[in-house]
Amino acid sequence: SQKIEQNSEALNIQEGKTATLTCNYTNYSPAYLQWYRQDPGRGPVFLLLIRENEKEKRKERLKVTFDTTLKQSLFHITASQPADSATYLCALDGNYGQNFVFGPGTRLSVLP
Amino acid sequence: EPEVTQTPSHQVTQMGQEVILRCVPISNHLYFYWYRQILGQKVEFLVSFYNNEISEKSEIFDDQFSVERPDGSNFTLKIRSTKLEDSAMYFCASWSYEQYFGPGTRLTVT
């Protein structure tokens, strides 16, 4: 069956460091992979989308890589700030927008 | 900036009652969705809607659930006979290569 894992339930890092979050999947061939931020009690907020034929995408302090051979995406936040503390979700689409499957999320805490 | 809105923000209902959750998605988006998130758990896909019909639905979306886009702007999720396990946060979303989520409706079934 299809499975999405995110490297750890929680990650603590010091302010200014780079946070690296991992999303692994099995039994899936996604057309798109997306990363979201979710704050407690709020809806997910879209951050980045990367397509199956793209290796890397950047947006300001964010970088996403996508390796369809390893079935893995890495999400990096450089120069992390306490305001980056949130849960980060990866989501895979297997049918060009018809459905998205979310991972369990990684709760990131950036310590001042 | 365009946004997805949802009403109500919190709905309390008794087991066996019908509820309708309402959403106004971003009108020029291609797909509309409903998701649910049980407290402390992951976001789960329920259904997608494209061109005024259901595009895909998950195993969770059984006969108790239905969706409608009655007037070209609203997008509703109906749960016919609520169960205790339907208690969750329900999110509406719309997508045009970027997926925008609404703030959610917290449904509490007692």
Side-chain angles (χ1 to χ4, degrees), chain A residues 38 104, chain B residues 35-46 60 84-91 105-107:
Chain A
Q38 187 175 29
Chain B
Y35 294 88
R36 80 172 184 192
Q37 187 173 32
I38 295 168
L39 188 63
Q41 297 187 24
K42 65 179 184 177
V43 175
E44 297 177 289
F45 168 79
L46 294 178
I60 302 168
L84 293 176
E85 53 265 37
D86 293 327
S87 295
M89 195 77 153
Y90 287 81
F91 293 110
T105 293
R106 181 168 298 286
L107 177 65

Side-chain angles (χ1 to χ4, degrees), chain A residues 9 14 21 23 26 29 34 54 62 67 82 97 102:
Chain A
E9 196 173 315
Q14 286 297 130
L21 285 65
C23 177
T26 55
S29 296
Q34 303 182 52
E54 296 175 318
L62 308 179
D67 189 326
F102 280 77

Side-chain angles (χ1 to χ4, degrees), chain B residues 75-88:
Chain B
F75 181 47
T76 62
L77 175 69
K78 183 192 290 186
I79 309 174
R80 285 189 187 79
S81 179
T82 50
K83 303 188 275 281
L84 293 176
E85 53 265 37
D86 293 327
S87 295

